[in-house]
Amino acid sequence: MPLLAAAGLDICLVDTGLTAAAGHELLPLPELAEATGASVHEVVRLESVAETVTAGAEAWPAAVAEALATAAAGAVAVKSVLAYRHGLAAPAERPDRTAVVAAAGAHLRGGSGRLTDPVLLHHVLWTAVDVCAGLGLPLQLHTGFGDPDLTLHRADPSLLTDFVRAAEPSGVPLVLLHGYPYHRQAAWLAQAFPTVYTDLGLTASYTGPRVAAVLGEMLELAPFGKLLFSTDAYGLPELYLVGTCQFRHGLRAVLAGWQADGACAAADAERVARQIAAGNALRLYAL
């Protein structure tokens, strides 16, 4: 496991809704902590929790809320993969309870399994807002590209705008993950709404030598205090190392360019780098 340690990570936040890669089980959190030398914390995947609930249709909404509150009690965040299941066009209104119960009944009669009904997906998303508000946790949302299981145009984070507005009074921070090729939309949301944060995530590992250009585009609008470093690495140790090296390279290139242009001083560049690399996440996730 030298590659994991070589990534130089101090803290890892792990989405435990993903349990295997290429047919192999992923390391349990204590073993990952030992291999990386990092402090490891859990991020609870919302839809995975909801899929374990088998209460009757009438009891299903309350049972999901209870299950999520229990699962998230020891976590640092809750994560939604709504983008994969139906797309990010979540309405501002909470689904009507009658519609939720009817959809839950159909879901349970179908043998439960993967949650894809938009009524249920939007209900559990709002349930997550309530639970996160109660526990003081951020809510992460996958946006932008990912596996072929996803339809890309439905993962544009700007589709979340109505939901973001409606959820804002809760005070729950919404963290838009990855974003590409809609990273500018994610940056705009982070600039326009006080509760929105964003990261570049797995984008850095895929864009290769263009990482500095993409990161620069995100920083056109995203406030320095609202952009977070992440790798989205899992499975292969190489992904952790590549993700960190790419991000360091990209951020260093962007900040060096700004200094060369006279846009910021060396002290400013160092402060921004510290915020994005660690400080923002430490504050947001109360680490």
Side-chain angles (χ1 to χ4, degrees), residues 33-215:
E34 182 177 356
T36 58
S39 172
V40 175
H41 303 272
E42 182 181 17
V43 175
V44 171
R45 185 177 292 194
L46 169 61
E47 291 81 8
S48 297
V49 172
E51 287 162 357
T52 67
V53 175
T54 57
E58 285 286 343
W60 194 87
V64 167
E66 182 178 356
L68 182 60
T70 299
V76 295
V78 173
K79 177 182 175 181
S80 171
V81 290
L82 176 68
Y84 280 92
R85 303 302 180 85
H86 184 71
L88 294 176
E93 302 78 16
R94 294 173 181 251
D96 176 79
R97 174 177 167 78
T98 301
V100 173
V101 170
H107 173 68
L108 295 167
R109 288 192 298 274
S112 300
R114 185 180 170 92
L115 201 65
T116 58
D117 185 290
V119 171
L120 298 185
L121 289 169
H122 296 150
H123 171 75
V124 299
L125 183 64
W126 277 107
T127 299
V129 171
D130 295 338
V131 169
C132 287
L135 295 175
L137 300 179
L139 174 58
Q140 299 179 340
L141 297 107
H142 178 103
T143 69
F145 81 121
D147 301 333
D149 190 27
L150 175 149
T151 301
L152 185 58
H153 73 275
R154 295 177 179 171
D156 180 338
S158 66
L159 295 172
L160 287 164
T161 304
D162 289 343
F163 169 75
V164 170
R165 287 195 187 100
E168 187 176 322
S170 72
V172 171
L174 304 175
V175 189
L176 308 180
L177 307 180
H178 321 317
Y180 188 86
Y182 308 112
H183 50 290
R184 279 173 158 153
Q185 284 92 319
W188 168 74
L189 285 163
Q191 182 273 330
F193 295 97
T195 56
V196 177
Y197 295 75
T198 187
D199 81 359
L200 200 63
L202 78 166
T203 299
S205 298
Y206 278 82
T207 51
R210 290 281 296 169
V211 63
V214 176
L215 185 55

Side-chain angles (χ1 to χ4, degrees), residues 2-9 205 231 233 236-248:
L3 291 175
L4 282 172
L9 297 168
S205 298
T231 65
L236 293 174
E238 291 89 336
L239 297 179
Y240 292 81
L241 182 57
V242 169
T244 53
C245 289
Q246 275 285 90
F247 197 89
R248 290 185 184 116

Side-chain angles (χ1 to χ4, degrees), residues 215-216 218-220 222-229 247 250-252 254-256 258-259 263-281 283:
L215 185 55
M218 181 164 271
L219 284 168
E220 289 170 356
F224 301 144
K226 299 179 98 181
L227 179 62
L228 311 172
F229 158 73
F247 197 89
L251 187 57
R252 186 181 299 117
V254 169
L255 295 176
W258 289 358
Q259 290 177 78
C264 73
D268 297 323
E270 182 178 353
R271 177 177 58 84
V272 170
R274 289 182 180 279
Q275 280 184 280
I276 295 172
N280 294 338
R283 183 182 72 254

